[in-house]
């Protein structure tokens, strides 16, 4: 975000929403670890502009994986193929076995792969315009009963109410939000990061 605006709120609604998002994200990441255990390699946590989702599995570049997995990317992660790709010259029995094994892998993936986690669902619940999030960006976190936000656009309670009354598009409004300085926002983030480090240590 080229220009950032910083806000915080201690209103129970927004704090609960942001806290829930990160609780679900922790559960999502834990599920990725479990998924990786089933396939013998770490699963890449992927993210696009609207959600978090499971990426490929960190497997070796050995040809023994090529039947079921695509070639590794630059980081060594492989995506499961849509269907098995038996080696050239495989017998009919080997091809049948490869297809059966591939179906087992697909079923295992579908059983343990967590659903993608939409961050836009939570921005929407916060009543922030997700179109603005797509265009300008936004970050949120909660710490010690306060939710903090860094947005690439301004939100204003009076402007929001006026536009809603007139039926016009609005950037949205977060209940109880007050604008803060960048240093206060960074202070909240640093405090959260340091507390998490102590817990993990």
């Amino acid at each position: 975000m080229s220009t950032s605006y910083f806000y915080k709120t201690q209103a129970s609604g927004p704090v609960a929403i942001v806290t829930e998002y990160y609780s679900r994200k922790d559960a999502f990441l834990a599920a990725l670890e479990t998924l990786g255990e089933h396939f013998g390699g770490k699963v890449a946590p992927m993210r696009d502009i609207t959600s978090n989702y499971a990426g490929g599995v960190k497997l070796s570049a050995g040809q023994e994986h090529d039947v079921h997995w695509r070639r590794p990317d630059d980081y060594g992660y492989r995506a499961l193929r849509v269907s098995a790709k038996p080696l050239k010259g495989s017998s009919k029995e080997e091809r049948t076995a490869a297809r059966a094994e591939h179906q087992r892998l697909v079923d295992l993936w579908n059983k343990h792969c967590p659903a993608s986690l939409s961050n836009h669902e939570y921005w929407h619940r916060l009543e922030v315009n997700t179109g603005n999030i797509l265009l300008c960006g936004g970050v949120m976190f909660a710490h010690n009963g306060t939710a903090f936000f860094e947005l690439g656009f301004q939100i204003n309670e009076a402007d929001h109410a006026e536009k809603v009354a007139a039926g016009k598009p609005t950037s949205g409004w977060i209940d109880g939000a007050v604008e803060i300085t960048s240093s206060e926002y960074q202070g909240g983030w640093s405090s959260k990061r340091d507390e998490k480090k102590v817990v993990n240590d």
Side-chain angles (χ1 to χ4, degrees), residues 9 27 40 71 74 80 106 109 115 137 146 193:
T9 179
R71 297 298 299 164
D74 292 340
L80 191 62
V106 169
W109 182 273
T146 301
R193 182 190 58 205

Side-chain angles (χ1 to χ4, degrees), residues 16 58 115 137 146 151 155:
K58 190 70 170 285
T146 301
L151 303 174
I155 56 173

Side-chain angles (χ1 to χ4, degrees), residues 39-187:
F39 289 93
K42 179 183 177 183
V43 176
M46 302 296 288
R47 179 179 176 181
D48 59 23
I49 56 177
T50 64
S51 62
N52 299 269
Y53 61 95
V57 181
K58 190 70 170 285
L59 298 171
S60 72
Q63 291 185 343
E64 69 273 12
H65 295 302
D66 292 351
V67 175
H68 306 293
W69 302 89
R70 296 186 183 279
R71 297 298 299 164
D73 63 16
D74 292 340
Y75 302 98
Y77 290 97
R78 288 174 172 254
L80 191 62
R81 294 183 183 278
V82 175
S83 58
K85 186 179 180 182
L87 299 175
K88 291 181 179 180
S90 297
S91 66
K92 181 178 179 181
E93 291 76 12
E94 289 172 332
R95 290 176 179 275
T96 299
R99 286 193 292 269
E101 171 61 9
H102 196 80
Q103 187 59 55
R104 185 189 73 81
L105 293 174
V106 169
D107 291 344
L108 190 64
W109 182 273
N110 290 337
K111 180 179 179 180
H112 295 285
C113 182
S116 61
L117 173 60
S118 168
N119 54 57
H120 273 212
E121 171 191 336
Y122 288 87
W123 285 115
H124 180 73
R125 287 171 57 186
L126 287 163
E127 299 187 28
V128 173
N129 187 312
T130 53
N132 283 33
I133 293 292
L134 282 171
L135 290 171
C136 306
V139 178
M140 57 180 167
F141 69 91
H143 181 60
N144 286 346
T146 301
F148 294 84
F149 305 90
E150 178 184 0
L151 303 174
F153 53 94
Q154 286 183 298
I155 56 173
N156 179 280
E157 184 176 19
D159 179 67
H160 171 68
E162 181 179 325
K163 287 182 176 178
V164 168
K168 296 180 179 180
T170 169
S171 295
W173 175 250
I174 300 168
D175 184 30
V178 293
E179 191 165 3
I180 59 175
T181 63
S182 170
S183 60
E184 184 174 357
Y185 174 89
Q186 294 299 335

